[in-house]
Amino acid sequence: MGKKTGFMDYTREEEQKRHPLSRLDDWKEYSQRFSEDTLKIQGARCMDCGTPFCHMGLELNGLTSGCPINNLIPEWNDLVYKGRWKEALDRLLLTNNFPEFTGRVCPAPCEGSCTVAISEPAVAIKGIERAIIDKGFEEGWIKPRIPERRTGKKVAIVGSGPAGLACADQLNQAGHSITVYERDDRPGGLLMYGIPNMKLEKDVVDRRIQLLEEEGIEFVTNTEVGKDVAAEQLQEVYDAVVLCTGAQKHRDLNIEGRELKGVHDAMDYLTGTTKSLLNSGFEDSDYIDTEGKHVIVIGGGDTGADCVATALRQKCKSVVQFGKHPQLPDHRTENNPWPQYPLVFTLDYAYEEAAAKYGKDIREYCIQTKKIVGDEQGRVKELHTIRMEKTIDASGKAVFHELPGTEKVWPVDYVFIAIGFEGAEHPVLEAFGVETKNNKIHAPYGTYTTSVEGVFAAGDARRGQSLIVWAIHEGREAAREVDRYLMGSTVLP
Ligand SMILES: Cc1cc2nc3c(=O)[nH]c(=O)nc-3n(C[C@H](O)[C@H](O)[C@H](O)COP(=O)(O)OP(=O)(O)OC[C@H]3O[C@@H](n4cnc5c(N)ncnc54)[C@H](O)[C@@H]3O)c2cc1C
Ligand code: SF4
């Protein structure tokens, strides 16, 4: 432990962010790294408590508490405080293949369960994690680790999101020959197309892919397994297959007017924007442009927030986000005690930007869309809504009642539907004939084996839409089980 009284001497500082209005003029990352002096102080706030809940990685009350990859947080906090950066990096890389992703976009369930957070703001764990890895790259400490021996075993990984990448990295380091198949034109899964550039710049993703390639992993893009290449072909050529195909089957809104021009799924909007940005800096005009338009985002979650931030950068005329649930409280309620993930009101980056531009929170709570109305050309023009009241019934279930007299008509040019994901997309699962359950691949946690011999599954395809940090966790664990399957025992953690 660096400074015994650090948690009493120093207060938490937030990572620097560029001014909300100025960042609307570009697509660069909005958050910036702590300075080294600040980091030392922030590292010193860690109490090195006997039981570091921050790295327990459990699900409590359906929410993630602590770090799912069990990052050795108190150890690297202490090393950062002492200025021993290289050692901090070595400790970080023991458990996390890609801290440059989690250090930028993880919602940091570690901080919600930090012991300091019982009475004070948590240690700034995520910001410290990012600084360690960024410094590692800058100092040239991150070099390709080319495996010294090869086992002669070949593994195909389907899907190049964080689960597929973590699995590939681990198995490659164990000496197996890895090919990653990706149906999109660039590897990275939702890291590349999903999470917008202002949260995670794409050269950060490219840098990691390039490193993995230099280490010997082969990436085959523009190739949909089950369509462009048969499942049987993979099973014949490879000793094992790991399905990391994500859970991108999105929920749709089955209401009147859904088919109108200008009504889109959120993922089409976000993916198209990033593709156009990367391909041509928007010169190709191959994206949905909301400049000067009224935008409504249906769905109160993070995907919706990313749509809001995207529309703001496109200089939309107005943007509103509809959510079904009431606004979260400012402080934890009795039902949400520490060390559970704190369900409290926050001003995420998109809302901070919207508030700076329009002078208010652009979220509308407890609202239900009844129908979408179009003009004579079949273009969306209005959205009809009603307010709802949320109550809890005798069995503890949330029940929503419409409130008569609260009907409203909203003028709109673009509607983006961001109401979540149903689960894994089925064609590839059917091609392999793997058993599914509740729209997910049935592969028990811990073994990751599917109903088909030699075929494993990890990440969102197995657990449903989740977080990058869980995808990395599952990719690592599945790699361990594949290694055991191929070699009889395993060298992987
Ligand atoms: C808009 C959005 C924003 C998000 N923001 C955050 C965030 O800020 N922080 C966070 O922690 N989490 C965030 N998430 C969730 C996080 O991105 C996912 O939980 C994570 O990416 C899941 O990783 P994965 O590897 O399992 O799947 P994915 O990242 O979905 O990758 C699956 C890959 O498989 C490919 N694929 C599918 N089928 C085939 C096939 N047949 N052949 C070849 N390739 C195939 C897909 O093209 C895709 O590239 C966000 C999600 C969305 C949608
Ligand atoms: S990966 Fe996420 S949960 Fe784990 S230490 Fe980093 S920010 Fe915290």
Side-chain angles (χ1 to χ4, degrees):
M1 181 178 182
K3 185 150 197 274
K4 289 196 181 70
T5 55
F7 65 98
M8 296 188 287
D9 298 344
Y10 308 123
T11 51
R12 177 183 163 111
E13 281 188 40
E14 299 299 331
E15 268 186 304
Q16 291 288 311
K17 289 181 195 158
R18 295 192 291 130
H19 189 276
L21 285 180
S22 76
R23 64 195 195 220
L24 294 183
D25 292 333
D26 62 53
W27 297 80
K28 294 189 194 315
E29 277 178 7
Y30 65 87
S31 71
Q32 290 172 325
R33 239 164 74 192
F34 284 127
S35 72
E36 282 200 22
D37 288 345
T38 309
L39 278 161
K40 276 187 147 194
I41 288 173
Q42 293 302 304
R45 291 189 71 238
C46 180
M47 295 166 65
D48 195 13
C49 46
T51 306
F53 289 88
C54 60
H55 75 185
M56 66 186 177
L58 292 177
E59 283 192 322
L60 298 178
N61 208 10
L63 301 163
T64 301
S65 299
C67 176
I69 41 179
N70 313 117
N71 272 345
L72 303 166
I73 298 163
E75 294 189 26
W76 37 260
N77 279 336
D78 180 47
L79 290 163
V80 165
Y81 170 65
K82 291 176 175 150
R84 288 156 57 183
W85 287 91
K86 177 71 173 61
E87 286 164 81
L89 178 68
D90 292 343
R91 300 307 284 162
L92 176 56
L93 293 176
L94 277 183
T95 54
N96 191 352
N97 303 63
F98 314 125
E100 70 273 30
F101 306 151
T102 49
R104 284 173 167 75
V105 293
C106 184
C110 52
E111 295 185 4
S113 58
C114 166
T115 306
V116 176
I118 296 175
S119 55
E120 297 289 326
V123 173
I125 300 170
K126 175 177 158 185
I128 296 176
E129 179 178 35
R130 173 188 171 167
I132 297 172
I133 184 70
D134 281 4
K135 188 170 170 76
F137 275 108
E138 279 162 23
E139 297 286 337
W141 294 332
I142 311 277
K143 296 204 166 64
R145 300 160 305 148
I146 296 159
E148 281 172 14
R149 58 169 195 104
R150 290 286 174 190
T151 61
K153 303 282 185 192
K154 293 174 23 173
V155 182
I157 293 176
V158 187
S160 66
L165 294 180
C167 192
D169 189 17
Q170 294 293 99
L171 285 170
N172 184 52
Q173 290 303 318
H176 308 304
S177 300
I178 312 299
T179 309
V180 180
Y181 288 88
E182 171 54 56
R183 71 175 168 199
D184 235 316
D185 59 348
R186 290 181 173 89
L190 289 172
L191 297 166
M192 179 59 73
Y193 294 133
I195 299 175
N197 205 66
M198 50 276 192
K199 267 166 84 180
L200 174 64
E201 281 180 17
K202 302 313 160 195
D203 52 7
V204 174
V205 183
D206 285 338
R207 179 179 63 186
R208 179 58 69 172
I209 304 286
Q210 197 187 329
L211 195 64
L212 294 172
E213 277 177 332
E214 287 168 24
E215 291 172 344
I217 297 172
E218 187 190 354
F219 287 90
V220 180
T221 51
N222 291 311
T223 305
E224 181 168 344
V225 173
K227 189 173 150 215
D228 304 318
V229 49
E232 297 78 27
Q233 208 178 325
L234 255 58
Q235 285 166 297
E236 251 170 60
V237 173
Y238 297 93
D239 299 293
V241 176
V242 192
L243 300 176
C244 300
T245 49
Q248 296 192 30
K249 184 169 184 236
H250 38 78
R251 277 201 198 105
D252 211 343
L253 196 63
N254 295 316
I255 57 168
E256 188 186 324
R258 167 65 183 90
E259 73 297 341
L260 290 167
K261 286 186 212 129
V263 182
H264 299 272
D265 180 76
M267 290 307 291
D268 294 337
Y269 178 48
L270 295 175
T271 303
T273 307
T274 302
K275 268 194 186 165
S276 181
L277 171 69
L278 298 181
N279 288 346
S280 67
F282 299 120
E283 289 293 311
D284 60 12
S285 301
D286 195 10
Y287 63 99
I288 301 163
D289 189 359
T290 62
E291 184 175 354
K293 305 290 183 193
H294 294 292
V295 175
I296 293 181
V297 179
I298 302 179
D302 291 345
T303 303
D306 291 335
C307 291
V308 169
T310 301
L312 288 171
R313 278 162 182 73
Q314 290 179 337
K315 316 262 178 269
C316 63
K317 194 165 188 179
S318 71
V319 59
V320 184
Q321 184 182 8
F322 289 172
K324 187 177 168 191
H325 294 274
Q327 183 175 331
L328 287 170
D330 288 335
H331 301 286
R332 284 179 185 274
T333 58
E334 271 180 17
N335 302 331
N336 176 226
W338 179 92
Q340 286 182 13
Y341 189 84
L343 293 174
V344 293
F345 180 83
T346 52
L347 213 54
D348 197 7
Y349 80 111
Y351 310 126
E352 203 178 57
E353 291 165 358
K357 183 162 177 189
Y358 302 116
K360 58 175 184 170
D361 187 1
I362 49 83
R363 285 171 282 187
E364 292 286 336
Y365 301 93
C366 291
I367 195 162
Q368 166 98 328
T369 310
K370 299 294 283 181
K371 65 174 176 181
I372 311 173
V373 176
D375 60 17
E376 307 76 56
Q377 282 80 43
R379 258 210 83 82
V380 60
K381 95 175 171 188
E382 290 169 350
L383 222 147
H384 292 229
T385 63
I386 189 161
R387 293 275 166 195
M388 292 191 300
E389 187 184 33
K390 182 182 175 183
T391 50
I392 306 292
D393 72 8
S395 67
K397 222 175 103 206
V399 188
F400 292 90
H401 311 269
E402 292 185 358
L403 295 172
T406 60
E407 295 82 1
K408 186 168 172 177
V409 177
W410 304 73
V412 66
D413 301 302
Y414 279 105
V415 177
F416 299 119
I417 300 169
I419 53 172
F421 297 83
E422 278 177 20
E425 292 162 280
H426 279 250
V428 61
L429 313 186
E430 281 158 18
F432 282 93
V434 294
E435 209 179 291
T436 57
K437 212 172 167 183
N438 301 331
N439 272 323
K440 294 174 243 179
I441 302 177
H442 181 55
Y445 180 71
T447 70
Y448 303 92
T449 46
T450 68
S451 54
V452 177
E453 165 78 20
V455 179
F456 296 75
D460 281 4
R462 197 201 70 80
R463 66 182 297 129
Q465 264 291 337
S466 182
L467 298 175
I468 289 164
V469 66
W470 276 117
I472 296 175
H473 166 79
E474 293 216 354
R476 290 171 66 86
E477 290 219 329
R480 182 194 63 212
E481 295 313 311
V482 172
D483 188 40
R484 202 194 309 276
Y485 169 77
L486 296 175
M487 309 303 284
S489 62
T490 181
V491 294
L492 292 172

